Amino acid sequence: MQSFTMDQPTTSMEDLYTTYKPHLFSIAYRMLGSRSDAEDMVQDLFLSIHGHINENIHNTKSYLSKMMVNRCLNELKSARKKRISYVGNWLPEPMVRMNEDSPLESAERHDTISYAFLILMDKLTPLERAVFILREVFAYEHNEISEMFNKTEVNCRKIFSRVKKKVDLSSEKQGNPSARLVEEKELVTRFIAAISNGNIQSLVDMLTEDVILIADGGGKVSAAIRPIYWKERVLKLLRALSDSRFPVSKAQLVQVNERPGVLLSQDDIPTGVICFEWDDQTMSIQRIYIIVNPDKLQHLAV
């Protein structure tokens, strides 16, 4: 195993962990789309370097980032094989927050951690994902990225340029994000009232005509195994959800990856998370994601 020295030799492993854990977790979560897997990756990385810190490394952050990205690339290769046997749609594991920061504090983070961002990343190859995240999210220079992957800087620039053409983050970088978050919160509150009270017809004007609903039950909980297309069919499924879940379930407004979303629970046990993508012009819902796979909810607490 290769070993290294921190930028400041007197830095303890505990200090190293405290300093770099948030950054490494952010890379892993965006790469893997799983909070639990990202946490495991960070723990495993620090366990692997414990007691092996005697070779000189000039840029600790870059070195640890390279280690994390390589681990994530290996994990993604294995994960793609597992997806073949996954029942139904696979969706990223959501991060849910009960308490609220100020709108400005949330707005400063939402463009790099939103659920829509994770969905976009899942459409890329592992290498494309890594290059894009390091450059677009964490502002690594192309020469740094090229060193991480033992590729030429020109090659990395081409990969990044290709991904930029695939990925549209315009909706992630809205002007006046604070006002948008307030509007989203009001709309999600209306959505909660509709499904809680069985008044699904009141959602008609909130959905685009070509709205898509994607549910992830992982074969462990009943959920649509294919995406549901078009407003009429989505309303029908939401009506079925409302009839089957309520009044025994509770729906509450939460922050899902720094955007307003819904947490479903029964007897204080999380049973589902709902989040949305919005049409930028009309602020209507164009995508609904419902995560009910219990494996992706076990880290939540009501």
Side-chain angles (χ1 to χ4, degrees), residues 102-142:
S102 70
L104 179 59
E105 289 173 329
S106 293
E108 290 173 346
R109 295 196 302 268
H110 86 282
D111 60 327
T112 59
I113 199 175
S114 76
Y115 203 76
F117 181 90
L118 295 178
I119 295 291
L120 287 172
M121 292 301 97
D122 194 53
K123 298 177 181 178
L124 305 177
T125 68
L127 180 59
E128 286 176 336
R129 194 182 310 189
V131 170
F132 185 78
I133 289 171
L134 289 171
R135 177 60 183 163
E136 182 77 6
V137 179
F138 299 108
Y140 279 84
E141 297 297 334
H142 285 291

Side-chain angles (χ1 to χ4, degrees), residues 51-98:
H52 298 271
I53 51 175
N54 47 26
E55 184 180 335
N56 184 42
I57 295 296
H58 297 294
N59 189 329
T60 303
K61 181 178 181 181
S62 180
Y63 184 78
L64 291 176
S65 296
K66 177 180 179 179
M67 291 182 69
M68 179 55 71
V69 168
N70 285 333
R71 284 169 176 263
C72 289
L73 290 175
N74 290 333
E75 178 66 19
L76 284 171
K77 291 177 183 177
S78 172
R80 287 185 181 274
K81 293 179 181 178
K82 296 177 183 176
R83 294 275 187 91
I84 297 175
S85 59
Y86 195 86
V87 178
N89 310 291
W90 183 94
L91 290 174
E93 183 179 324
M95 293 182 68
V96 175
R97 212 162 36 81
M98 308 298 171

Side-chain angles (χ1 to χ4, degrees), residues 7 17 68 88 96 115 127 131 173 185 193 206 252-253 279:
D7 301 321
Y17 181 81
M68 179 55 71
V96 175
Y115 203 76
L127 180 59
V131 170
K173 298 179 178 179
K185 182 177 178 181
M206 286 183 60
Q252 63 187 105
L253 178 70
D279 180 278

